[in-house]
Amino acid sequence: MAEEMFQKDETLRMRKRLIGQSCRLFFSDDPVKIVRARGQYLYDENGVQYLDCISNVQHVGHCHPAVTQAAAAQMDLLNANTRFLHDNIVRYADRLAATLPKKLSVFYFVNSGAYHGHLSSLIDISPYKFRKLEGQKDWVHVAPLADTYRGLYRHDHPDPAQAYADTVKNLIDDMHSKGRKISSFFVESLPSVGGQIIFPRGYFTKVAEYVRAAGGVFVADEIQTGFGRVGSHYWAFQLQGEDFCPDIVTMGKPMGNGHPLACVVTTEEIAGAFTANGVEYFNTFGGNPVSCAIGLAVLDVIEKEDLRGNAVRVGNHLKDLLKQLQIKHPIIGDVRGAGLFVGFELVKDRVDLTPATEEAALLIRRMKEKYICLSTDGPWENVVKFKPPMCFRMEDAERVTEEIDLVLREIQDASLQK
């Protein structure tokens, strides 16, 4: 029998008392208490429905019955660690391998990806984290973000992919001049925290050429963008060209549709070097039968419900609607995205591109009052992002853009009255 639900105020008081304050809430000034969900919809304690535009982890939809049933069935049968031989882990690895370039063929399953790193070794290579803490270590080198909207080389550059790749080569040359070497190049296939950035095609190919020539490996982070979110491809790194292949790919978040499941896949050569160090790799929960059953169910739903096709159709419609708003509202400086990975950037002017951070925060608050969950990202928190469950529909895109239009009109009218 379910225990009696606390009143929202009591839940909030208990959370503040019992849960570490560095664990933050959405809409912290007035948090939403969510008690159930289905598809792309969330429901609060009063049964009010919210449209969810941000839960990319619930990839195939909140509480998808095929996923929950697979989890319950396997949990009722067996859950053990990977030191016992079991079919699920190899079936799952085989299914994943079929979506990847042949070179990527050895899998290491873990129970969760580390969000920008909770270990000092990972925080040290995450600008998002180290810039807020002790700063950049001398062995870490940050290449300019290949942002063609507000970066060093923009849409009007004749070859931004090459220009941005050359900035990486310059870093490598500088390190070599100081007697240092290169181990690896880490990059999100499409930066989300960086502001929903779409890299120029060909950038990865040139960067990989320079990194490998220097003895390093290319690591593509697909934790935000994998499993068909971009629609046209299963993995966002494939947007760079069919011939491009990273040396290592990390994947997580949407992989288990909310269940903690993540993975690293690499080549036989790199895996062999890892094995040769003589230390066993073991993860207590990674690759267990229940997690793999859930992962397999997610893959089945993606295929059976044509969620990649849906991402293309709905994502294109959403971008078209946002571009129509861009024509009406000068505050929308840029609209960009691939599939259901979409963002639009708010600026105070379209020449200097001054970030409209306060206006973006107001938009998010007003949308929440209209029962739509959105959030911002980017260095200045002025990029409104869409990473909804992949079952997001045409009518959802139309509803959210209609409401955005109304709120932006309110913001514009208020600014004119100042």
Side-chain angles (χ1 to χ4, degrees), residues 115-143 171 186 193:
Y115 183 67
H116 294 287
H118 294 301
L119 303 175
S120 60
S121 56
L122 291 176
I123 291 172
D124 286 346
I125 63 170
S126 175
Y128 174 74
K129 282 288 181 75
F130 70 60
R131 285 171 177 161
K132 298 178 181 179
L133 297 171
E134 297 177 358
Q136 185 174 333
K137 297 292 179 20
D138 64 358
W139 50 270
V140 176
H141 312 274
V142 181
L171 279 175
F186 283 81
V193 170

Side-chain angles (χ1 to χ4, degrees), residues 4 33 58 78 83 90 102 106 130 195 220 222-223 244 251 271 280 282 287-288 306 353 357 375 379 404 414:
E4 184 177 349
K33 182 175 180 179
Q58 285 70 31
L78 171 71
R83 285 193 174 120
V90 293
K102 290 183 179 180
V106 183
F130 70 60
E222 288 278 345
I223 289 171
F244 173 72
M251 56 187 77
E280 177 193 14
F282 174 67
N288 70 73
D306 187 28
L353 308 185
T357 302
S375 63
I404 288 170

